[in-house]
Amino acid sequence: MSRAFTREDDSENVIADIGERPVSASRNLVTEQGLVHIETQLASLREDLAKAEADADRERIATVSRDLRYWQSRRETAEVSIPEPDSTVVRFGMKVVVEDDNGKHNVWQIVGEDEADAAKGRISHSSPMAIALFGKSVGDLASVNGHEWEIIELGS
């Protein structure tokens, strides 16, 4: 009988199929801070890769290499967009103050996908809220999922 049918997998020599990180089909718009974030990620990952290679950690090399490919792709496609300071309509990079039906105010800055963090008031330009806000002015209403928000203030 062939040993191929009797031997258990040697799990020490198998690297998990980690797959690639998905890359959005949307334009890769970024703020100036977003571009710095990408550059920081690349520098950090290059250091991590050197350490993983020095340690001969194959699984870590695979994971870091995958992440490095992702961030290199994001760097290559990054389009820095700076809002016009005197714009009277919502554009990428701007801060928008909105008020809901209960009078509660939220401040959102519309940023790139990789820099979005709703807990810090940064939403992706491809999010439903950002899409609803684009092109609107102070006093206009934005509607998302049956809720309406009035635009109270614009800033850069």
Side-chain angles (χ1 to χ4, degrees):
M1 180 183 277
S2 170
R3 289 188 60 172
F5 295 108
T6 60
R7 186 172 173 200
E8 295 292 323
D9 283 345
D10 185 2
S11 61
E12 291 179 17
N13 293 324
V14 175
I15 297 177
D17 180 18
I18 58 173
E20 292 298 318
R21 289 183 62 174
V23 176
S24 173
S26 297
R27 285 177 63 193
N28 187 15
L29 296 175
V30 297
T31 63
E32 291 174 317
Q33 296 84 6
L35 187 59
V36 169
H37 174 71
I38 291 171
E39 297 289 351
T40 301
Q41 290 296 317
L42 285 168
S44 176
L45 286 165
R46 287 182 186 117
E47 289 178 15
D48 290 350
L49 182 59
K51 290 175 188 171
E53 288 173 341
D55 295 340
D57 183 343
R58 292 176 52 197
E59 189 167 343
R60 183 77 181 129
I61 291 169
T63 302
V64 172
S65 294
R66 177 212 48 204
D67 292 345
L68 194 53
R69 286 189 300 276
Y70 172 83
W71 287 107
Q72 285 171 333
S73 169
R74 298 304 279 173
R75 177 62 184 98
E76 290 169 5
T77 61
E79 300 175 46
V80 177
S81 181
I82 302 168
E84 297 172 18
D86 57 348
S87 180
T88 59
V89 297
V90 177
R91 301 206 183 280
F92 179 88
M94 294 181 86
K95 288 186 179 177
V96 183
V97 180
V98 295
E99 180 180 84
D100 67 12
D101 294 336
N102 298 322
K104 181 181 178 207
H105 288 194
N106 284 318
V107 179
W108 299 111
Q109 182 181 15
I110 301 172
V111 297
E113 292 176 342
D114 295 316
E115 50 189 317
D117 183 346
K120 294 181 179 177
R122 296 189 305 258
I123 59 172
S124 167
H125 67 92
S126 59
S127 70
M129 178 58 98
I131 291 168
L133 290 169
F134 280 133
K136 292 197 169 35
S137 301
V138 171
D140 289 346
L141 296 176
S143 180
V144 177
N145 294 331
H147 298 285
E148 287 191 334
W149 291 268
E150 182 181 355
I151 298 171
I152 303 299
E153 184 181 335
L154 299 178
S156 51

